[in-house]
Amino acid sequence: MERLVALPFGKSVEIAYQSIRVRFFRSLITTLSLVLAVAFLCYVQAGNRIAETILQTGSEAGFRALLQAGYDVQPGDAAIGESAKQRWLVILSLMVCVVGIVNAQLMAVTERFREIGIMKCLGALDSFILRLFLLEALMQGFIGAAAGALLGAVFAVASSAVQFGALVFTALPLGGITMTILTATATGCLLSLLGVVFPAVKAARMAPVEAMRVEE
Amino acid sequence: MPSDRSANVQHAIIRTTNVVKTFQLGSHTLEVLKGISLNIAADRHVSIMGPSGSGKSTLFNMIGGLDKPTSGKVFINEVDIAQLDAYELAWLRCRKIGYIFQTFNLIPVMTALENVTLPMIFAGTGNDEAVERGMILLKTVGLADRFNHKPSELSGGQQQRVAVARALANGPSIILADEPTGNLDLTTGEEIINLLKRMSEERKVTIISATHDFKMLNVSDEVIWIRDGLIDKIEQRDELRISVGTIE
């Protein structure tokens, strides 16, 4: 039992944070596709929530405004779901985003083969390497997704304000929008993790010599 | 004096028996090591010499547990490294062996101090103690004032000195140096050689270096000459003086 190498969690977070900070520009680009995809997701969902709230106020003006804005509502409806077209667009954008993350992370891993090899020579286990990459992805994912979700929500409110005018502010579903932001952020973190799993496993499994042999 | 330092009397810290390593290049099998058996005694400074392509780096990787032989066995401290699982191997690399490379191989995103303390963290040392010991090591190699610099802000010689400090981080019993002077100019190379020599004397570490730098011969207790994947000859310090003498 005593013959164990260790990497405390706090230290892993520190190293992961440092890697992101040092490669800030690259991290930014990796994160950017996530920001956009999550912003789109959040924009669509928050927009629907706002429209739904306007519908639920039951006012004649609100109903007319919704029809005018292109929502497919009938008198007596209580909810507005995402349209099939919206749903496909969101799913497609998230898929493109994951592929983008996988691509960027594969490049990042290749760039860091040597670093991975060195760490292994110093006694790092596969799990250390995996943990560092997952933590990095989680941090990037959280920051990117949170930024994207806020951006999306702000745009949703702004565009609703343009469409429906003052109506929006009498019935702004703050709780609902907050929920949407939170779920969109969680989705983003999940996507970021999903995108890094394959590259990180590939990196962690490399034998130290192979990793070191790669020329920079 | 030389007689009681002979390899047979002393405890062999590294022992290989008939190590063969082949690489598969497409349909062609390349035999890089063709059966190497050697004993390396503790606390000595051993150089593995040979032209490039002789298999010395491959042998070096085997000895360091970085690669596994195709057949034959490598024992470190009488433990067959083929029998070790991933955890034990990692522990061995972390606590018992210090590596020094031709290309320094510091982690570029970390400062000199962080590079030195990383193996200590892996070994379970607390942060404060690691920093304290790291600073002492950096002072020993003469770089205490540059602790906060990234590798890119250091010269080659300084980077290699950080690497020496890092190799000593967990008080290893073996230091493996693969062409430690290969990327350095004459004077800086000599500085590193002297530093290694000093460390081996002060800290009782076995130093094994793969090299084709003849400056290394002066400080070696024993030289193992490798040619075409086989041991050509093994020379002790006293024999060496004579042969170097005849060259000059």
Side-chain angles (χ1 to χ4, degrees), chain B residues 213-244:
Chain B
D213 183 347
F214 282 92
K215 292 195 295 298
M216 213 70 176
L217 290 181
N218 293 328
V219 297
S220 304
D221 295 319
E222 186 177 334
V223 179
I224 300 169
W225 298 84
I226 304 286
R227 185 176 290 272
D228 294 330
L230 287 168
I231 293 179
D232 191 22
K233 57 185 172 185
I234 298 180
E235 287 179 315
Q236 303 299 317
R237 179 71 167 263
D238 42 349
E239 301 166 300
L240 206 65
R241 286 234 175 84
I242 302 161
S243 62
V244 171

Side-chain angles (χ1 to χ4, degrees), chain A residues 2-8 11 14-15 18-19 21-23 114-115 118-125 127-128 207-209 212-213 215-216, chain B residues 23 61 66-67 84 86-88 90-91 93-94 99 101 103 105-111 114-115 117-119 121-124 127 150 166:
Chain A
E2 55 152 1
R3 291 196 158 201
L4 272 185
V5 281
L7 182 58
K11 196 72 191 176
E14 199 184 309
I15 295 176
Q18 201 179 9
S19 305
R21 210 192 52 197
V22 168
R23 282 177 267 259
R114 184 174 282 272
E115 195 179 315
I118 300 167
M119 284 208 179
K120 286 198 151 186
C121 282
L122 300 181
L125 293 168
S127 60
F128 294 4
V209 252
M212 307 272 290
R213 210 175 279 142
E215 289 301 317
E216 280 186 337
Chain B
F23 289 103
N61 288 338
L66 295 178
D67 206 350
L84 299 180
Y87 295 92
E88 292 169 315
W91 185 84
R93 285 181 197 139
C94 182
Y99 300 91
F101 300 94
T103 48
N105 284 353
L106 300 176
I107 295 178
V109 298
M110 295 186 177
T111 64
E114 284 165 336
N115 265 292
T117 53
L118 190 64
I121 301 289
F122 287 165
N127 210 26
K150 296 266 169 63
R166 181 180 66 181

Side-chain angles (χ1 to χ4, degrees), chain A residues 62-211:
Chain A
F63 190 73
R64 251 183 287 121
L66 283 174
L67 276 180
Q68 212 163 29
Y71 284 94
D72 186 17
V73 284
Q74 307 292 326
D77 276 359
I80 298 176
E82 289 167 7
S83 69
K85 194 171 135 200
Q86 275 181 337
R87 201 172 307 135
W88 273 113
L89 276 175
V90 167
I91 291 175
L92 212 65
S93 79
L94 294 182
M95 272 163 62
V96 169
C97 155
V98 171
V99 172
I101 293 175
V102 173
N103 182 27
Q105 292 286 14
L106 272 176
M107 297 250 307
V109 165
T110 314
E111 217 173 51
R112 288 162 67 179
F113 272 163
R114 184 174 282 272
E115 195 179 315
I116 295 162
I118 300 167
M119 284 208 179
K120 286 198 151 186
C121 282
L122 300 181
L125 293 168
D126 291 9
S127 60
F128 294 4
I129 309 287
L130 196 64
R131 199 198 301 163
L132 287 178
F133 274 95
L134 291 183
L135 275 173
E136 265 181 53
L138 200 64
M139 288 182 200
Q140 283 182 343
F142 180 74
I143 292 169
L150 282 175
L151 198 72
V154 167
F155 266 92
V157 172
S159 78
S160 306
V162 172
Q163 275 180 333
F164 307 120
L167 262 176
V168 171
F169 298 103
T170 57
L172 199 61
L174 279 178
I177 291 179
T178 313
M179 266 312 287
T180 308
I181 290 176
L182 289 180
T183 46
T185 308
T187 312
C189 288
L190 213 66
L191 292 180
S192 180
L193 280 180
L194 198 70
V196 84
V197 166
F198 171 65
V201 167
K202 191 177 157 220
R205 284 206 183 138
M206 284 190 90
V209 252
E210 273 173 58

Side-chain angles (χ1 to χ4, degrees), chain B residues 20-193:
Chain B
V20 174
K21 179 70 179 179
T22 55
F23 289 103
Q24 200 67 39
L25 297 173
S27 59
H28 180 69
T29 308
L30 189 67
E31 195 172 34
V32 180
L33 298 179
K34 298 170 182 167
I36 294 210
S37 302
L38 52 83
N39 282 313
I40 294 174
D43 300 341
R44 309 197 82 195
H45 190 149
V46 177
S47 291
I48 302 174
M49 283 275 202
S52 45
S54 59
K56 92 185 159 300
S57 285
T58 312
L59 177 64
F60 176 86
N61 288 338
M62 302 287 153
I63 291 174
L66 295 178
D67 206 350
K68 289 192 170 162
T70 312
S71 72
K73 288 191 187 313
V74 176
F75 299 88
I76 297 177
N77 256 335
E78 294 306 322
V79 178
D80 180 1
I81 60 164
Q83 304 296 323
L84 299 180
D85 62 24
Y87 295 92
E88 292 169 315
L89 209 52
W91 185 84
L92 188 81
R93 285 181 197 139
C94 182
R95 303 297 298 266
K96 290 288 153 199
I97 306 177
Y99 300 91
I100 296 170
F101 300 94
Q102 176 174 7
T103 48
F104 322 133
N105 284 353
L106 300 176
I107 295 178
V109 298
M110 295 186 177
T111 64
L113 182 62
E114 284 165 336
N115 265 292
V116 176
T117 53
L118 190 64
M120 300 186 199
I121 301 289
F122 287 165
T125 311
N127 210 26
D128 295 342
E129 195 195 334
V131 167
E132 192 182 318
R133 271 167 48 201
M135 283 308 293
I136 294 174
L137 279 170
L138 282 177
K139 199 176 284 170
T140 319
V141 299
L143 280 177
D145 51 332
R146 311 294 300 266
F147 75 95
N148 213 9
H149 288 242
K150 296 266 169 63
S152 55
E153 298 157 358
L154 298 171
S155 72
Q158 287 171 330
Q159 286 187 52
Q160 196 62 305
R161 279 194 267 165
V162 175
V164 171
R166 181 180 66 181
L168 291 165
N170 288 322
S173 40
I174 307 166
I175 285 189
L176 286 170
D178 189 4
E179 303 273 8
T181 57
N183 276 16
L184 300 174
D185 63 52
L186 211 64
T187 1
T188 335
E190 212 148 346
E191 270 170 42
I192 294 295
I193 291 172

